[in-house]
Amino acid sequence: MGNEISVNPDRLEDLANDMVTRLSRIEDEYRNLHMELAELINSAPAEYRHCFYHVGDPWGTGNQLVGQLSEMEIDLRMVANKFADADNLVGKLYKLYEQYGAMTALGALMTKQLAFYGLGFTQFIKNADGVFTYKHMAALQKVTDKIDETKKLGTMTRAFLSPLYLTSKYKDVQLADLVHKKIAKYLPDDVINYTNSSKAIYKGIRKNTLSAAKFKTFAQTGAKFAKTNAFSTIALTGIMEAGGMGLKISENYSKYGNNPDVLKRENAKAVGNAVNNTVGISGGAIAGAVVGGALGSMIGPVGTVVGAAAGSFVGGIVGEQAAKLTAGIAEKGAILFKEPIHHGVELFKNGFEQAGKAIDAANKGIDMVNKQIKETIADPIGKVKEIGKGISKAKDTADSLIKGAKDFLGEKLSFF
């Protein structure tokens, strides 16, 4: 006997779908029983109503049974999805690409930050007490000051850097500092304050002079440092997760459009997972930025900035893994609100259905590519021969078409 176990993910999914259909029937049944029992009690003479006091509650018992079966359905579909993922070679390659893309993005950010500091656009200076201050390159400071003096040009420049820089929060921030923030993600003052407070903490630990005041300052500057990173991190993660949620809902319409009970549950799960991932990944990235910045501060403000970028990336990965642990809880919670979620999703039904058709076609293409890859791995020599035959046949067909075209044109244009 072989050591491998063959499992058909489609069969597992069919079982999960069948379970949802039965769940829906059970829900309808216990609700009807509950209503009929209530009507029976109300219609009975008052002196006999006490006879029903010890009759079981169909609603509570049925709801408990449905809850247990619902958890079984979630587990069953999760197993089916894991088997499907394991069998999807193209999907595995895409996941490698995702990790590669994330590493590339991290490298690009750090390279941009280091180039900015390496060219001296912003310099950090340590005074005699070991406290850091900063100054911008003279040319940068002079140009940005001139731009700030012209209100219209200053507004256009700030909007070009980021529309957020037009808000009241940044109205008193000099343009040179905003250029730093655009490249380094943080205002110079935030970097300086967090670096100084971090170094004070390290010094306090080494010399056993750690005080409540130092720790309070560290917590305050760290909170501001985290807040600066929080908005962009949550916004970016939310946008990515919303996109993934939309694709999943579109796929659900394609797969379960004729099965409303399954469609409602799967769309609710998609929404629950998107919220769960946004919270988990964003939380991890924000905490990672704070920790990475504190560790990087040992080599100065530049280390704080670069360390925060690395920490945010690592924290995001940790948050993603943590989010997987709470995915089941998020799905169960979202299923409780499947009806209102379904009504909201239905407002965009046509768009999801159209997108679902495209996703269905893409999935079929992926299945075909997976089949070709597996056949090639199983018999590479035979596959090469098959491809060679296909190319030869295509060439013969093309030659025949060209010859036919020449003959046709020769006959039709023979009067020239």
Side-chain angles (χ1 to χ4, degrees), residues 213-230:
K214 289 181 180 179
F215 187 81
K216 182 180 179 180
T217 302
F218 174 74
Q220 288 174 340
T221 56
K224 190 172 182 181
F225 196 75
K227 186 178 178 181
T228 302
N229 193 57

Side-chain angles (χ1 to χ4, degrees), residues 249-272:
I249 290 174
S250 297
E251 185 178 24
N252 290 340
Y253 270 97
S254 173
K255 292 170 67 175
Y256 313 120
N258 296 324
N259 193 335
D261 293 327
V262 177
L263 181 65
K264 291 177 184 178
R265 283 177 66 90
E266 292 309 301
N267 283 349
K269 289 180 188 178
V271 173

Side-chain angles (χ1 to χ4, degrees), residues 109 169 181 184-186 190 222-236 282-290 308-309 311-313:
L109 174 61
K169 178 180 178 180
K181 180 174 171 60
K185 288 184 65 177
Y186 305 93
D190 293 339
K224 190 172 182 181
F225 196 75
K227 186 178 178 181
T228 302
N229 193 57
F231 181 82
S232 59
T233 302
I234 293 173
L236 179 61
S282 298
I286 293 166
V290 175
S312 184
F313 173 73

Side-chain angles (χ1 to χ4, degrees), residues 9 13 18 64-65 71 183 289 304 317 352 408:
E13 187 167 319
D18 185 56
Q64 186 177 3
L65 174 61
E71 290 186 12
I183 305 298
T304 301
I317 293 176
F352 285 128
F408 174 77

Side-chain angles (χ1 to χ4, degrees), residues 356-367:
K357 291 177 182 178
I359 291 174
D360 186 49
N363 286 337
K364 288 178 180 177
I366 290 172
D367 290 340

Side-chain angles (χ1 to χ4, degrees), residues 159-220:
F160 175 76
L161 291 175
S162 172
L164 289 174
Y165 295 163
L166 297 176
T167 61
S168 58
K169 178 180 178 180
Y170 297 104
K171 70 176 182 179
D172 295 326
V173 178
Q174 62 173 333
L175 185 57
D177 286 359
L178 294 179
V179 171
H180 178 278
K181 180 174 171 60
K182 180 67 178 178
I183 305 298
K185 288 184 65 177
Y186 305 93
L187 288 171
D189 278 333
D190 293 339
V191 176
I192 290 290
N193 293 336
Y194 193 47
T195 302
N196 288 334
S197 63
S198 296
K199 291 181 78 66
I201 285 288
Y202 294 142
K203 186 177 179 180
I205 293 173
R206 287 198 310 269
K207 297 186 176 182
N208 199 26
T209 58
L210 188 61
S211 65
K214 289 181 180 179
F215 187 81
K216 182 180 179 180
T217 302
F218 174 74
Q220 288 174 340

